[in-house]
Amino acid sequence: EAQVTQNPRYLITVTGKKLTVTCSQNMNHEYMSWYRQDPGLGLRQIYYSMNVEVTDKGDVPEGYKVSRKEKRNFPLILESPSPNQTSLYFCASRLATGGNSPLHFGNGTRLTVT
Amino acid sequence: QKEVEQNSGPLSVPEGAIASLNCTYSDRGSQSFFWYRQYSGKSPELIMSIYSNGDKEDGRFTAQLNKASQYVSLLIRDSQPSDSATYLCAVTRAGNNRLAFGKGNQVVVIP
């Protein structure tokens, strides 16, 4: 089954404790992206990657890191999480055919930073 | 002006009626337009994409695009309780890597 898999689904952590949210897709998509979704603010892009070893900032990259060492994986790293990073996070992927390809979303990761 | 703007406030419609959602965008160079449906606590799922002016129908859903007026709309005919969700409008430029989302419209279908 074609899918984007995120782990974990739920994560509660404390301020300053480094964490990684994993994302993997099995559709051979070149493009992958991370979004956060907050009430009243909608979906905002954190980082995206056009292909292996190619990453770029989205709208809200501060406090986050990403890497793209393999085509299928695009982990999101919070080196020192803070409470304002409490949010619902989505990984998504699509073919890199310009902007016409729709995004496929993972099931989301609900992160709480205390 | 916000990049992608959707009407605020939940939309309540009786079962069987037509739900109408509107979305305006600011970038005249926008080329691809999408409607996603998101159930509470779930991930967005694509329900419609439209790239040229006019109407596009898929089952009970119709997307309408008017590039001159910079709006895209979604009609849901014969609304069902299962259509109760938040609908996200998303817009991108051709060859652009960034998909801009509106904040969404909540639809509540009343049995």
Side-chain angles (χ1 to χ4, degrees), chain A residues 91-111:
Chain A
C91 180
S93 72
R94 65 167 169 82
L95 292 169
T97 51
N100 285 356
S101 300
L103 279 174
H104 299 260
F105 285 86
N107 287 331
T109 296
R110 187 167 292 281
L111 172 65

Side-chain angles (χ1 to χ4, degrees), chain B residues 74-94:
Chain B
L74 179 71
L75 299 177
I76 308 173
R77 292 183 301 282
D78 187 24
S79 295
Q80 301 296 308
S82 59
D83 295 326
S84 296
T86 296
Y87 291 81
L88 305 171
C89 173
V91 174
T92 190
R93 302 186 73 171

Side-chain angles (χ1 to χ4, degrees), chain A residues 9 31 35 37 40-45 48 50 58-59 88 90 94 97-108 110, chain B residues 3 31-34 36 38 41-46 49 51 86 88 92-104:
Chain A
R9 291 293 309 277
Y31 181 96
Y35 291 84
Q37 188 173 38
L41 297 177
L43 275 165
R44 295 180 293 169
Q45 190 176 45
Y48 66 92
M50 285 300 296
D59 299 317
L88 178 59
F90 289 105
R94 65 167 169 82
T97 51
N100 285 356
S101 300
L103 279 174
H104 299 260
F105 285 86
N107 287 331
R110 187 167 292 281
Chain B
E3 195 165 3
Q31 295 287 331
S32 304
F33 307 86
F34 306 94
Y36 287 82
Q38 186 177 25
K42 303 295 186 182
S43 58
E45 55 177 329
L46 180 73
S49 59
Y51 308 111
T86 296
L88 305 171
T92 190
R93 302 186 73 171
N96 193 294
N97 301 316
R98 185 172 170 278
L99 187 64
F101 284 87
K103 293 182 181 179

Side-chain angles (χ1 to χ4, degrees), chain A:
Chain A
E1 180 188 353
Q3 59 186 359
V4 179
T5 303
Q6 293 177 232
N7 280 297
R9 291 293 309 277
Y10 301 92
L11 180 57
I12 301 173
T13 190
V14 295
T15 299
K17 186 175 181 180
K18 180 180 178 180
L19 66 90
T20 300
V21 183
T22 63
C23 175
S24 179
Q25 51 91 7
N26 61 1
M27 295 169 280
N28 202 36
H29 286 168
E30 293 86 1
Y31 181 96
M32 298 185 73
S33 181
W34 277 101
Y35 291 84
R36 62 177 289 176
Q37 188 173 38
D38 302 288
L41 297 177
L43 275 165
R44 295 180 293 169
Q45 190 176 45
I46 304 171
Y47 269 95
Y48 66 92
S49 169
M50 285 300 296
N51 215 323
V52 176
E53 302 292 0
V54 181
T55 62
D56 211 342
K57 296 177 181 179
D59 299 317
V60 288
E62 295 79 18
Y64 304 95
K65 284 176 59 177
V66 292
S67 69
R68 189 87 181 276
K69 293 184 171 58
E70 305 166 281
K71 195 173 186 179
R72 62 182 293 130
N73 295 324
F74 190 44
L76 179 69
I77 303 156
L78 285 71
E79 295 268 2
S80 183
S82 61
N84 65 11
Q85 293 178 298
T86 293
S87 186
L88 178 59
Y89 291 85
F90 289 105
C91 180
S93 72
R94 65 167 169 82
L95 292 169
T97 51
N100 285 356
S101 300
L103 279 174
H104 299 260
F105 285 86
N107 287 331
T109 296
R110 187 167 292 281
L111 172 65
T112 302
V113 183
T114 61

